Amino acid sequence: MTAPATTETGAAAEEGLGFRPLYAQVRDRLIRRLVDGVWAPGEPLPSEMQLAAELGVSQGTVRKALDAMAAENLVVRRQGRGTFVARHDEERIMFQFFKLVGDDGARTFPQSRVLSVSAARANAGERDALKLERDAKVVRIRRLRSFGETPAIVETLTLPETIFPGLSAMEIPNNLYGLYAMHFGVTVASTRERIKAVATCAQDAETLGVPAGTPALKIDRLALSIERQPVEWRVSVCLTERFHYLSELR
Amino acid sequence: MTAPATTETGAAAEEGLGFRPLYAQVRDRLIRRLVDGVWAPGEPLPSEMQLAAELGVSQGTVRKALDAMAAENLVVRRQGRGTFVARHDEERIMFQFFKLVGDDGARTFPQSRVLSVSAARANAGERDALKLERDAKVVRIRRLRSFGETPAIVETLTLPETIFPGLSAMEIPNNLYGLYAMHFGVTVASTRERIKAVATCAQDAETLGVPAGTPALKIDRLALSIERQPVEWRVSVCLTERFHYLSELR
DNA sequence: TAGTGGTCTAGACCACCCT
DNA sequence: GGGTGGTCTAGACCACTAA
């Protein structure tokens, strides 16, 4: 086909949605397959040529869709090898979502000790944060995270029971996002963190082994899935005596 | 020319630098012109076609270079109008580098009151942060920033005198990055922030009008120019009673 | 050596903006 | 209407990887 590029433009315009590029449509279709688990994490997608033939577009259009997905950290592209579904292994999470760094620049991933796991009806704050219906059930996890022998973070997580059924009865691993992907097919694609400085309350201080009132970072994180649905609410209280939160802005 | 795409690849390979794409070379050349002030902020660059003809590459290659620069916030592209040198006006800085947001979600830019300006020889910490030579001179600025009538941030800035000659004798505006660009041709392209929770010291507490020891965020920011040279070191102590630091991660 | 993604080109048409 | 960036295609060659 040497025909001009008309494609679906007309259809999109007729729908009253002011034009959606073909590559964006291709991206949407590929993301749909990712969400549906057509390809497992770490597995290679078909080659650009194959996808192009199958979807009826040019290789260049598939490429632009895949490049966009790579920019969103949904796939990883490797020259000479292929395009792979992104994995949620420890390393990736550490660099992507875990922003606490040693003052000497060292990036170590903390160990976790679960303090409690419980199932309950969501309270008002949880419903608000996770956009839940009235009477929705949630799982609450409280844990202490340490670098080596030094306690540094105490955090409370709240998760919708509908998205993570049976979680409260499971063993809780250190790397939660890996568990979400593996057992529940949920990929955390982005997070929004609100950070404040607070004085540690008596309970947190005791758990962390510091005097009550010690200054700490309170990080309020909402994690969103690929479809931008809230899947986890996490409030972390972090000591920053020997660590800091690193934020690089462009 | 219907000739294949050979271009400078050979030359780059011969230099022992394992291959640098043409579009990256084009990007470098265009950035060089930006730095040299060939086009002023807010001014349009020549069209893709003109640049392509001038640089002896295809329009597509220029496009990829410009897209990369747009991703780095160095230029702004507007369909139907042209490609413009990014401006450092208040709005852009607010959304790009200023991460303090009201708890109600409101983004307001604080007013500043300069407490002191001085010129001095850089101390060890300043030399280290800004990568300065021994005996280098710096300008120090200390200022209080308030939202409305409420003091919220007290910060100390250190700037190399070689990059900002005569700054200590100038009027200090609220929007510093605009001043850097306008009067010194320095564009802040990225920042690295290290955040800790601290108890306010007596001096900062008095300036902010809170009891000494009140928890606050200490934000240690290093600002880099387009050429990745350190141009400003800023330590801010922020109250977060009614504000928070917002960090969105993908 | 074959297959993959990465780069580069050339040309067409589309959406948008200004005059 | 004429110019700009944005999309799409088609085809060629380059760089990298693995068998």
Coordinates of all heavy atoms in Angstrom, one line a residue, chain A residues 110-151:
Chain A
P110 N 15.4 -1.8 52.1 CA 15.2 -2.2 53.6 C 14.5 -3.6 53.7 O 13.7 -4.0 52.9 CB 14.4 -1.1 54.1 CG 13.6 -0.6 53.0 CD 14.4 -0.8 51.8
Q111 N 14.8 -4.3 54.8 CA 14.1 -5.5 55.2 C 12.8 -5.1 55.9 O 12.8 -4.0 56.5 CB 15.0 -6.3 56.1 CG 16.2 -6.9 55.4 CD 15.8 -7.7 54.1 OE1 15.0 -8.6 54.1 NE2 16.4 -7.3 53.0
S112 N 11.8 -5.9 55.8 CA 10.5 -5.6 56.5 C 10.1 -6.7 57.5 O 10.3 -7.8 57.3 CB 9.4 -5.5 55.4 OG 9.8 -4.5 54.4
R113 N 9.5 -6.2 58.6 CA 8.9 -7.1 59.5 C 7.5 -6.7 59.7 O 7.1 -5.6 60.0 CB 9.6 -7.0 60.9 CG 9.2 -8.0 61.9 CD 10.2 -8.2 63.0 NE 10.4 -7.0 63.8 CZ 9.6 -6.6 64.8 NH1 8.5 -7.4 65.2 NH2 9.8 -5.5 65.5
V114 N 6.6 -7.7 59.4 CA 5.2 -7.3 59.4 C 4.7 -7.3 60.9 O 5.0 -8.2 61.6 CB 4.3 -8.4 58.6 CG1 2.8 -8.1 58.8 CG2 4.7 -8.3 57.2
L115 N 4.1 -6.2 61.3 CA 3.6 -6.1 62.7 C 2.2 -6.6 62.8 O 1.8 -7.2 63.8 CB 3.7 -4.6 63.1 CG 5.1 -4.0 63.0 CD1 5.1 -2.5 63.3 CD2 6.1 -4.8 63.9
S116 N 1.3 -6.4 61.8 CA 0.0 -6.8 61.8 C -0.7 -6.8 60.5 O -0.3 -6.0 59.6 CB -0.9 -5.9 62.8 OG -1.1 -4.7 62.2
V117 N -1.6 -7.7 60.3 CA -2.4 -7.8 59.1 C -3.9 -8.0 59.5 O -4.1 -8.8 60.3 CB -2.0 -9.0 58.1 CG1 -2.9 -9.0 56.9 CG2 -0.5 -8.9 57.8
S118 N -4.8 -7.2 58.9 CA -6.2 -7.4 59.3 C -7.1 -7.0 58.2 O -6.7 -6.3 57.3 CB -6.5 -6.5 60.5 OG -6.3 -5.1 60.2
A119 N -8.3 -7.5 58.2 CA -9.3 -7.2 57.3 C -10.4 -6.4 58.0 O -10.7 -6.7 59.1 CB -9.9 -8.5 56.6
A120 N -10.9 -5.4 57.3 CA -11.9 -4.6 58.0 C -12.8 -3.8 57.0 O -12.4 -3.8 55.8 CB -11.3 -3.6 58.9
R121 N -13.8 -3.1 57.4 CA -14.5 -2.2 56.6 C -13.8 -0.9 56.5 O -13.2 -0.5 57.5 CB -15.9 -2.0 57.3 CG -17.0 -1.6 56.3 CD -18.3 -2.0 56.9 NE -18.5 -3.4 57.1 CZ -19.6 -4.1 56.8 NH1 -20.6 -3.4 56.4 NH2 -19.6 -5.4 56.9
A122 N -13.7 -0.4 55.3 CA -13.0 0.9 55.1 C -13.5 2.0 55.9 O -14.8 2.2 55.9 CB -12.9 1.2 53.6
N123 N -12.7 2.8 56.5 CA -13.1 4.0 57.2 C -13.2 5.1 56.2 O -12.8 5.0 55.0 CB -12.2 4.3 58.4 CG -10.8 4.6 58.0 OD1 -10.5 5.1 56.9 ND2 -9.9 4.2 58.9
A124 N -13.6 6.3 56.7 CA -13.9 7.4 55.8 C -12.6 7.8 55.0 O -12.6 8.0 53.8 CB -14.4 8.6 56.6
G125 N -11.5 7.9 55.8 CA -10.2 8.3 55.1 C -9.8 7.3 54.1 O -9.3 7.7 53.0
E126 N -10.0 6.1 54.3 CA -9.6 5.0 53.4 C -10.5 5.1 52.1 O -10.0 4.9 51.0 CB -9.6 3.7 54.0 CG -8.5 3.5 55.1 CD -8.7 2.3 56.0 OE1 -9.9 1.8 56.1 OE2 -7.8 1.8 56.6
R127 N -11.8 5.2 52.3 CA -12.7 5.3 51.2 C -12.3 6.5 50.3 O -12.3 6.4 49.1 CB -14.1 5.5 51.7 CG -14.7 4.2 52.3 CD -16.2 4.2 52.3 NE -16.8 5.4 52.9 CZ -17.0 5.5 54.2 NH1 -16.8 4.5 55.0 NH2 -17.5 6.6 54.8
D128 N -12.0 7.6 51.0 CA -11.6 8.8 50.3 C -10.4 8.6 49.4 O -10.3 8.9 48.3 CB -11.5 10.0 51.3 CG -11.3 11.3 50.6 OD1 -12.0 11.6 49.6 OD2 -10.3 12.0 50.9
A129 N -9.3 8.1 50.1 CA -8.0 7.9 49.4 C -8.1 7.0 48.3 O -7.6 7.2 47.2 CB -7.0 7.5 50.4
L130 N -8.8 5.8 48.5 CA -8.8 4.8 47.5 C -10.1 4.8 46.6 O -10.3 4.0 45.7 CB -8.8 3.4 48.2 CG -7.5 3.1 48.9 CD1 -7.6 1.9 49.8 CD2 -6.4 2.8 47.8
K131 N -10.9 5.8 46.8 CA -12.1 6.0 46.0 C -13.0 4.8 46.0 O -13.3 4.1 45.0 CB -11.8 6.3 44.5 CG -11.0 7.6 44.4 CD -11.4 8.4 43.1 CE -11.0 9.8 43.1 NZ -9.5 10.0 43.3
L132 N -13.3 4.4 47.3 CA -14.1 3.1 47.5 C -15.6 3.5 47.8 O -15.9 4.6 48.2 CB -13.5 2.3 48.6 CG -12.1 1.8 48.4 CD1 -11.6 1.1 49.7 CD2 -12.1 0.8 47.2
E133 N -16.4 2.5 47.5 CA -17.8 2.6 47.9 C -18.0 2.5 49.4 O -17.1 1.9 50.1 CB -18.6 1.4 47.2 CG -18.4 1.3 45.7 CD -19.3 2.2 45.0 OE1 -20.5 2.3 45.3 OE2 -18.8 2.9 44.0
R134 N -19.1 2.9 49.8 CA -19.5 2.7 51.2 C -19.5 1.2 51.5 O -19.9 0.5 50.6 CB -20.9 3.3 51.5 CG -21.1 3.7 52.9 CD -22.3 4.6 53.1 NE -22.3 4.9 54.6 CZ -21.5 5.8 55.1 NH1 -20.6 6.4 54.4 NH2 -21.5 6.0 56.4
D135 N -19.1 0.8 52.7 CA -19.1 -0.6 53.1 C -18.1 -1.5 52.4 O -18.1 -2.7 52.5 CB -20.5 -1.3 52.8 CG -21.6 -0.7 53.7 OD1 -21.2 -0.2 54.8 OD2 -22.8 -0.7 53.3
A136 N -17.2 -0.9 51.6 CA -16.1 -1.6 51.0 C -15.2 -2.2 52.0 O -15.0 -1.6 53.1 CB -15.4 -0.7 50.0
K137 N -14.7 -3.4 51.7 CA -13.7 -4.0 52.7 C -12.3 -3.7 52.2 O -12.0 -3.6 51.0 CB -13.9 -5.5 52.7 CG -15.2 -5.9 53.5 CD -15.4 -7.4 53.5 CE -16.7 -7.8 54.1 NZ -17.0 -9.2 53.7
V138 N -11.4 -3.6 53.2 CA -10.0 -3.4 52.9 C -9.1 -4.3 53.8 O -9.6 -4.9 54.8 CB -9.6 -1.9 53.3 CG1 -10.3 -0.9 52.3 CG2 -9.8 -1.6 54.7
V139 N -7.9 -4.4 53.3 CA -6.9 -5.1 54.1 C -5.9 -4.1 54.6 O -5.5 -3.2 53.9 CB -6.1 -6.2 53.3 CG1 -5.0 -6.9 54.0 CG2 -7.1 -7.2 52.7
R140 N -5.6 -4.2 55.9 CA -4.6 -3.3 56.5 C -3.3 -4.0 56.9 O -3.4 -5.1 57.5 CB -5.1 -2.5 57.7 CG -6.4 -1.7 57.4 CD -6.7 -0.7 58.6 NE -8.0 -0.1 58.3 CZ -9.1 -0.4 59.1 NH1 -9.0 -1.2 60.1 NH2 -10.2 0.2 58.8
I141 N -2.2 -3.5 56.5 CA -0.9 -4.1 56.9 C -0.1 -3.0 57.6 O 0.0 -1.9 57.1 CB -0.1 -4.6 55.6 CG1 -1.0 -5.6 54.9 CG2 1.2 -5.1 56.0 CD1 -0.4 -6.0 53.5
R142 N 0.5 -3.4 58.7 CA 1.4 -2.5 59.3 C 2.8 -3.2 59.4 O 2.8 -4.4 59.8 CB 0.9 -2.2 60.7 CG 1.6 -1.0 61.4 CD 0.8 -0.6 62.7 NE 1.7 0.2 63.6 CZ 2.1 1.4 63.4 NH1 1.6 2.1 62.4 NH2 2.9 2.0 64.3
R143 N 3.8 -2.5 59.1 CA 5.1 -3.1 59.1 C 6.3 -2.2 59.5 O 6.1 -1.0 59.3 CB 5.4 -3.9 57.8 CG 5.5 -3.0 56.6 CD 5.8 -3.8 55.4 NE 6.0 -3.0 54.2 CZ 6.4 -3.4 53.0 NH1 6.8 -4.7 52.9 NH2 6.5 -2.6 52.0
L144 N 7.3 -2.8 59.9 CA 8.5 -2.0 60.3 C 9.6 -2.3 59.3 O 9.9 -3.5 59.0 CB 9.0 -2.4 61.7 CG 10.3 -1.7 62.2 CD1 10.2 -0.2 62.3 CD2 10.7 -2.4 63.5
R145 N 10.3 -1.3 58.8 CA 11.3 -1.6 57.8 C 12.7 -1.1 58.3 O 12.7 0.0 58.9 CB 11.0 -0.9 56.5 CG 9.6 -1.1 56.1 CD 9.3 -0.6 54.6 NE 9.8 -1.6 53.7 CZ 9.8 -1.4 52.4 NH1 9.2 -0.3 51.9 NH2 10.3 -2.3 51.6
S146 N 13.7 -1.9 58.1 CA 15.0 -1.6 58.7 C 16.1 -1.7 57.7 O 16.1 -2.6 56.8 CB 15.3 -2.5 59.9 OG 14.2 -2.6 60.8
F147 N 17.1 -0.8 57.8 CA 18.3 -1.0 57.1 C 19.3 -1.7 58.0 O 19.8 -1.1 58.9 CB 18.9 0.4 56.6 CG 18.0 1.1 55.6 CD1 17.1 2.1 56.1 CD2 18.1 0.8 54.3 CE1 16.3 2.7 55.1 CE2 17.3 1.4 53.4 CZ 16.4 2.4 53.8
G148 N 19.6 -2.9 57.6 CA 20.5 -3.7 58.5 C 19.7 -3.9 59.9 O 18.6 -4.4 59.9
E149 N 20.4 -3.4 60.9 CA 19.8 -3.6 62.2 C 19.0 -2.3 62.7 O 18.5 -2.2 63.7 CB 20.9 -3.9 63.3 CG 21.6 -5.2 63.0 CD 20.7 -6.4 63.1 OE1 19.9 -6.5 64.0 OE2 20.7 -7.2 62.1
T150 N 19.1 -1.3 61.8 CA 18.5 0.0 62.2 C 17.1 0.2 61.7 O 16.9 0.4 60.5 CB 19.4 1.2 61.6 OG1 20.8 0.8 61.8 CG2 19.1 2.5 62.3
P151 N 16.1 0.3 62.6 CA 14.8 0.6 62.2 C 14.7 2.0 61.6 O 15.3 2.9 62.1 CB 14.0 0.5 63.5 CG 14.8 -0.2 64.4 CD 16.2 0.1 64.0

